[in-house]
């Protein structure tokens, strides 16, 4: 392990409150496509055509077709060693907060609880008229007759205020924030590592490549989350 990794592991070991802030990259090794980059979902689909409320108003069936296709991908995927390392970590630190931008539900399936889902969940629907949130059960219309939509935060939509405030508070008060597999491009979620850093917390970034966050992170651990995270947790808490 490089000196950087040793020092990062030491900070993790000393931490009393750790925030794990994850993005699409942590699920990539499970087979869930990321959004941006050469293999990204949005190489083939323009987000502005599908992931926004106007697109849904224009053509709900087309948007649902895209989400049903993505559900079918996620359904065939299993949590990987990166997800599991965060479950292990939670058993070793006094307090952990798992905050994800992912909508795939793989953290829960790995055994993490609670999981703060900033951008919603692909397995939930919301009635466009009544606002009721329910598990997805195949139907696209509510009993009231209105369209159900994926319970996902699209571009231009506000994140749930209380959820976001709790996430900000966790970032402000943590000793270490692990930013894993996110391009750190999408606001307001990308503010979390910066809040942690400006409140005196240590920011450890895990990614295949540098991001706009890298220059501000204390540590940049380059590599796949499914390898870097288990190694980091093992190093911080040797049994
Ligand atoms: C690995 C790896 C491995 C790979 N190991 N690493 C101009 C116009 C319009 C809007 C805006 C604008 N400028 C700013 C905005 C705001 C906008 C925004 O930030 N846009 C930016 C793109 C510029 N934000 C919003 O619109 C948000 N809402 C908002 O601001 O509301 C304001 C408001 C306030 C009050 C009232 C009303 C409104 C909402 C954002 C919602 C984001 N939703 C999405 C799509 C959901 C739909 C869907 O899934 O179908 O959520 S966007 C998409 O990006 C998705 C993700 O959660 C999010 C973040 O992506 P993430 O996770 O970082 O993935 P990638 O693919 O970008 O990166 C993967 C990374 O992993 C890479 O770095 C790889 O290297 C790495 N990696 N394999 C480790 N194995």
């Amino acid at each position: 392990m490089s000196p950087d990794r040793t020092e990062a592991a030491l900070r993790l070991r000393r931490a009393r409150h750790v925030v794990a802030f994850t993005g699409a990259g942590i699920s990539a090794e499970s087979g869930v496509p990321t959004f941006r980059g050469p293999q990204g979902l949005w190489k083939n689909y323009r987000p502005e055509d599908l992931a926004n409320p106007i697109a849904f108003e224009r053509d709900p069936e087309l948007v649902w077709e895209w989400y049903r296709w993505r559900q079918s991908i996620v359904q065939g995927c299993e949590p990987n060693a990166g997800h599991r390392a965060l479950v292990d970590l939670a058993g070793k630190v006094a307090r952990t907060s798992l905050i994800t931008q992912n909508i795939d539900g793989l953290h829960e399936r790995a055994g993490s609880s609670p999981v703060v889902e900033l951008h919603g969940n692909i397995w939930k629907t919301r009635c466009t008229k009544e606002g009721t949130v329910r598990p997805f059960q195949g139907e696209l219309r509510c009993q009231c007759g209105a369209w159900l939509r994926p319970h996902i935060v699209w571009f231009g939509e506000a994140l749930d205020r209380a959820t976001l405030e709790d996430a900000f508070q966790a970032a402000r008060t943590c000793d270490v924030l692990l930013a894993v597999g996110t391009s750190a491009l999408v606001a307001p979620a990308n503010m979390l590592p910066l809040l942690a850093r400006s409140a005196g917390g240590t920011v450890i970034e895990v990614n295949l490549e540098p991001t706009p966050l890298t220059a501000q992170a204390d540590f940049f651990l380059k590599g796949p989350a499914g390898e870097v995270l288990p190694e980091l947790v093992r190093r911080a808490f040797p049994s």
Side-chain angles (χ1 to χ4, degrees):
M1 207 183 231
S2 70
D4 234 24
R5 292 188 177 206
T6 306
E7 178 58 26
L10 203 60
R11 300 269 183 109
L12 200 55
R13 183 179 179 75
R14 289 192 193 128
R16 280 157 299 137
H17 180 195
V18 175
V19 168
F21 168 56
T22 65
I26 196 167
S27 294
E29 288 156 82
S30 294
V32 183
T34 59
F35 292 92
R36 301 166 184 85
Q39 307 298 325
L41 262 183
W42 290 345
K43 217 58 194 163
N44 303 319
Y45 301 89
R46 294 186 339 136
E48 56 270 34
D49 288 344
L50 296 163
N52 73 66
I54 297 159
F56 188 76
E57 244 174 62
R58 195 170 47 224
D59 194 345
E61 269 148 352
L62 174 69
V63 174
W64 262 118
E65 199 181 312
W66 191 55
Y67 280 98
R68 295 302 304 267
W69 171 70
R70 289 176 55 199
Q71 282 177 336
S72 72
I73 296 176
V74 171
Q75 200 159 28
C77 294
E78 294 296 328
N80 65 56
H83 298 104
R84 289 192 294 273
L86 295 180
V87 179
D88 287 350
L89 180 65
K92 295 179 188 330
V93 179
R95 183 178 166 208
T96 50
S97 308
L98 179 41
I99 302 171
T100 190
Q101 298 168 87
N102 299 345
I103 59 169
D104 56 34
L106 288 180
H107 283 301
E108 289 88 343
R109 281 174 54 197
S112 287
S113 174
V115 179
V116 177
E117 293 177 316
L118 291 176
H119 293 162
N121 188 302
I122 200 166
W123 300 109
K124 290 182 184 166
T125 61
R126 189 165 80 240
C127 174
T128 52
K129 191 167 164 205
E130 300 165 331
T132 324
V133 176
R134 292 202 190 86
F136 176 78
Q137 283 172 333
E139 69 283 344
L140 306 184
R141 294 264 185 190
C142 179
Q143 283 156 352
C144 78
W147 278 99
L148 294 172
R149 57 164 280 179
H151 184 49
I152 285 175
V153 184
W154 285 327
F155 281 113
E157 294 187 317
L159 280 67
D160 179 77
R161 202 189 169 97
T163 306
L164 185 63
E165 204 30 69
D166 287 352
F168 282 171
Q169 187 58 14
R172 281 190 209 102
T173 54
C174 71
D175 304 302
V176 169
L177 182 142
L178 277 170
V180 185
T182 176
S183 59
L185 288 170
V186 175
N190 62 356
M191 290 166 64
L192 288 168
L194 308 179
L195 285 175
R197 186 80 172 83
S198 55
T202 295
V203 173
I204 303 173
E205 184 181 31
V206 177
N207 203 306
L208 293 179
E209 55 192 41
T211 70
L213 170 66
T214 308
Q216 323 223 26
D218 297 275
F219 300 95
F220 174 63
L221 309 187
K222 186 171 163 59
E227 291 173 20
V228 175
L229 286 177
E231 185 190 359
L232 185 65
V233 173
R234 262 198 313 273
R235 184 81 173 191
F237 305 97
S239 45

